[in-house]
Amino acid sequence: MQTPRRVEHQQTDRGYVPVYATGVVEQPWDNYTATDHQVWNILYERQRALLSAYACPEFLEGVERFGLGDGGIPRFDHLNQVLAEATGWQLVAVEGLLPDEVFFDHLANRRFPVSWWIRKMDQLDYLSEPDLFHDLFGHVPLLLNPVFADYMQAYGRGGMKAHAIGPEALMNLTRLYWYTVEFGLIRTDAGLRIYGAGIVSSKGESIYSIDSPAPNRIGFELARVMQTRYRIDTYQQTYFVIDSFEQLFDATGPDFTPLYAELATRPVHAAGDVLEGDKVYQRGTREGWATGGDN
Ligand code: PHE
Ligand code: CO
């Protein structure tokens, strides 16, 4: 495999992160090595076996429809045929993390940027920036779900707006992305399930987010999410739980401009805080909300 073109490091809201060349590239599929394909296969098999009991049905359906387990790193042009027909989204290959405005512009136009390079064999369990496995396996299956697909596009448009308003608004919006697209949980008939890409692409956090009694699991509330800081270097201390993708889409439909103004007057909460009025899922079980208490 070639090496990704890293341009510089930059201090951002999310800490000190590498910033890459911003252009779209051709997926260099012929240059993947046998080891690259093997890394995909190992990660795929491991997550697919685990996630039957942990991921939401919409995610699992997407994985099957794309044939992500057909063996080896999938070809973006094949996935794009499926996507075009289903929801009109397209994958574009990129070098890695993009500046906010570039990223928002892609989403607003129903293009999802996917890092073309995959992690090394000694990085199976953790790596500090998104690679092909995270971007593709984590994010792309839900782009086949019409409601989630529309949410992602709306997020891109909202991002351009927030960017124009200022850094605080952008931080509020980034937290929404973090706690939904990356680390969201959803209630289903089968109990609590994962839909967030940052979780489904991590074996450890898949188990932790659902089964561990340690983290808070709080019912989704837009303002609450936007006021909650997050950590990028540990498993989450708090997950926000939606009831459905429709709930998420509807709750984020209204113009955020007045909300940003109001939030600027309110305190920000630490990642691990539980507040009065939070609807809390109390135990690490997949069975449902705790009864008793005032939930
Ligand atoms: N309604 C939001 C706004 O006015 C746009 C948005 C939709 C943002 C969905 C995020 C997710 O900014
Ligand atoms: Co991601």
Side-chain angles (χ1 to χ4, degrees):
M1 186 172 65
Q2 303 148 242
T3 41
R5 286 190 303 140
R6 189 174 298 205
V7 171
E8 57 186 322
H9 278 73
Q10 198 177 65
Q11 180 66 40
T12 74
D13 291 343
R14 271 154 285 174
Y16 199 56
V17 300
V19 171
Y20 291 91
T22 57
V24 164
V25 298
E26 195 58 34
Q27 182 189 24
W29 201 84
D30 293 330
N31 295 335
Y32 292 130
T33 64
T35 309
D36 293 333
H37 289 295
Q38 212 188 335
V39 167
W40 171 275
N41 289 341
I42 293 170
L43 288 169
Y44 173 85
E45 296 300 338
R46 203 167 81 163
Q47 286 311 94
R48 186 62 193 81
L50 175 68
L51 289 174
S52 299
Y54 287 81
C56 68
E58 294 86 348
F59 175 86
L60 297 169
E61 268 164 39
V63 168
E64 296 309 315
R65 261 174 89 186
F66 276 125
L68 296 185
D70 289 351
I73 295 174
R75 301 186 69 117
F76 296 176
D77 52 357
H78 292 171
L79 305 178
N80 277 339
Q81 289 170 17
V82 180
L83 265 174
E85 224 168 280
T87 54
W89 275 76
Q90 289 288 280
L91 308 183
V92 290
V94 296
E95 302 283 348
L97 286 173
L98 298 171
D100 289 325
E101 320 88 84
V102 180
F103 181 62
F104 295 145
D105 182 64
H106 281 308
L107 297 187
N109 290 287
R110 287 173 106 83
R111 292 186 304 262
F112 193 79
V114 177
S115 304
W116 62 263
W117 56 273
I118 195 160
R119 70 193 70 186
K120 304 266 178 269
M121 204 56 97
D122 61 3
Q123 298 172 310
L124 292 182
D125 293 314
Y126 183 76
L127 113 149
S128 63
E129 54 182 299
D131 72 332
L132 180 142
F133 186 75
H134 167 81
D135 287 341
L136 184 48
F137 182 86
H139 285 281
V140 175
L142 279 181
L143 294 177
L144 289 180
N145 179 270
V147 179
F148 193 83
D150 287 350
Y151 173 70
M152 290 294 283
Q153 178 176 30
Y155 184 89
R157 292 184 174 144
M160 295 171 131
K161 207 166 74 184
H163 188 261
I165 294 174
E168 277 192 55
L170 198 57
M171 192 65 242
N172 292 149
L173 193 72
T174 302
R175 294 192 187 116
L176 174 64
Y177 191 88
W178 188 263
Y179 284 118
T180 60
V181 179
E182 294 292 355
F183 291 95
L185 298 181
I186 184 168
R187 296 173 71 190
T188 77
D189 292 341
L192 201 57
R193 295 285 177 123
I194 305 159
Y195 72 92
I199 312 179
V200 291
S201 59
S202 156
K203 181 186 180 200
E205 191 147 4
S206 290
I207 297 167
Y208 173 90
S209 67
I210 297 291
D211 288 340
S212 170
N216 308 316
R217 299 177 185 83
I218 298 175
F220 180 85
E221 204 244 308
L222 182 61
R224 175 76 171 83
V225 169
M226 287 188 171
Q227 280 173 288
T228 305
R229 287 207 182 88
Y230 60 82
R231 298 272 306 265
I232 65 164
D233 55 344
T234 61
Y235 294 162
Q236 301 305 303
Q237 289 173 279
T238 296
Y239 300 95
F240 289 95
V241 184
I242 61 172
D243 290 320
S244 66
F245 293 124
E246 285 80 5
Q247 177 208 15
L248 178 61
F249 187 78
D250 292 346
T252 51
D255 181 6
F256 288 174
T257 310
L259 181 58
Y260 293 142
E262 195 197 325
L263 289 178
T265 70
R266 293 210 229 155
V268 174
H269 306 298
D273 286 355
V274 179
L275 309 174
E276 211 181 309
D278 282 341
K279 183 178 178 184
V280 179
Y281 185 85
Q282 294 181 1
R283 285 183 54 244
T285 138
R286 277 178 271 127
E287 297 313 311
W289 293 83
T291 49
D294 54 5
N295 295 318

